[in-house]
Amino acid sequence: DQQVKQNSPSLSVQEGRISILNCDYTNSMFDYFLWYKKYPAEGPTFLISISSIKDKNEDGRFTVFLNKSAKHLSLHIVPSQPGDSAVYFCAAINSGYSTLTFGKGTMLLVSP
Amino acid sequence: KAGVTQTPRYLIKTRGQQVTLSCSPISGHRSVSWYQQTPGQGLQFLFEYFSETQRNKGNFPGRFSGRQFSNSRSEMNVSTLELGDSALYLCASVKTGGGYEQYFGPGTRLTVT
């Protein structure tokens, strides 16, 4: 049973436009959410996170939105740059534990 | 500050053999988690160690094991390798008392032939 789902395996966006990556979760005990970016042959790099007590967190070009009632979160990248091309993983955690549950990832391709 | 390091970076083994992978966390981080990444499966949690004790374990067979040393360095071992064990094995460390962000190493690419 997949508790964190990223239903879009890939996404193509033009440079300068907005990229929106989506993530759904089923476990209502998750109370902290993270996004990671991964380039080939490298480990995932932490990007941005959000606590369940918030509905938005912003860091430069990256904004994460959380809709708890829909069990849905999204990562917005504005403006998108070619260097943003990577696989993006959504992850969730129940703060009573210490294990991250990851989605399967979305490959973002930003073309010039 | 040095990041998470993993050795070796690449490994080729034959079915039936065993393998040991090593991970050194960021200095001061006492929690180490291991993940397996295969195409189409994302990152699947293997186990987590904190202060030399296994704190959590994922849904993997007993052929997968690990340990942590007093200096927080961790090893994972896979015995009786199968073709399906071919994957990228990632290690991550967590800052003690510093939130939930995990910092990943570059991974070890294991190929089983």
Side-chain angles (χ1 to χ4, degrees):
Chain A
D1 177 35
Q2 204 179 341
Q3 298 187 64
V4 178
K5 298 178 185 179
Q6 294 178 256
N7 292 320
S8 298
S10 63
L11 176 67
S12 291
V13 172
Q14 279 193 315
E15 182 178 6
R17 306 293 288 268
I18 184 172
S19 295
I20 300 176
L21 296 99
N22 293 304
C23 177
D24 297 296
Y25 62 96
T26 57
N27 188 340
S28 57
M29 297 300 290
F30 289 145
D31 55 4
Y32 199 81
F33 305 88
L34 308 91
W35 284 94
Y36 282 83
K37 178 170 74 173
K38 186 180 184 300
Y39 294 118
E42 294 183 13
T45 303
F46 169 71
L47 205 53
I48 192 170
S49 62
I50 187 167
S51 164
S52 61
I53 62 173
K54 296 184 175 181
D55 54 18
K56 177 182 174 182
N57 189 26
E58 198 169 352
D59 184 1
R61 296 186 297 115
F62 302 91
T63 303
V64 57
F65 295 93
L66 175 63
N67 181 335
K68 280 192 299 182
S69 59
K71 293 191 177 66
H72 176 84
L73 62 154
S74 61
L75 174 68
H76 292 211
I77 307 174
V78 184
S80 300
Q81 300 173 353
D84 296 330
S85 298
V87 177
Y88 288 78
F89 290 97
C90 169
I93 190 170
N94 173 349
S95 57
Y97 299 89
S98 49
T99 302
L100 286 178
T101 301
F102 283 85
K104 293 186 178 181
T106 296
M107 180 179 292
L108 174 66
L109 177 62
V110 181
S111 53
Chain B
K1 202 178 223 185
V4 177
T5 58
Q6 292 187 245
T7 56
R9 291 293 310 277
Y10 302 92
L11 206 48
I12 299 175
K13 289 286 188 178
T14 304
R15 267 184 304 176
Q17 288 186 313
Q18 74 161 17
V19 66
T20 298
L21 312 181
S22 181
C23 170
S24 292
I26 294 170
S27 177
H29 291 196
R30 287 161 55 194
S31 169
V32 173
S33 293
W34 288 88
Y35 296 85
Q36 180 195 66
Q37 185 189 10
T38 53
Q41 290 299 316
L43 281 75
Q44 295 186 287
F45 172 73
L46 279 155
F47 26 66
E48 182 212 1
Y49 286 88
F50 179 79
S51 292
E52 302 179 66
T53 301
Q54 187 179 88
R55 191 153 67 171
N56 288 297
K57 188 175 190 306
N59 189 23
F60 277 82
R63 300 185 296 108
F64 292 81
S65 63
R67 59 177 175 168
Q68 186 180 35
F69 303 94
S70 58
N71 61 358
S72 295
R73 190 177 71 84
S74 177
E75 289 181 347
M76 68 163 280
N77 183 276
V78 188
S79 62
T80 319
L81 284 166
E82 301 177 359
L83 295 178
D85 297 333
S86 295
L88 180 68
Y89 290 88
L90 292 157
C91 164
S93 71
V94 180
K95 183 178 178 181
T96 305
Y100 306 106
E101 293 80 13
Q102 296 192 4
Y103 298 89
F104 284 83
T108 294
R109 171 71 63 185
L110 171 65
T111 302
V112 182
T113 61

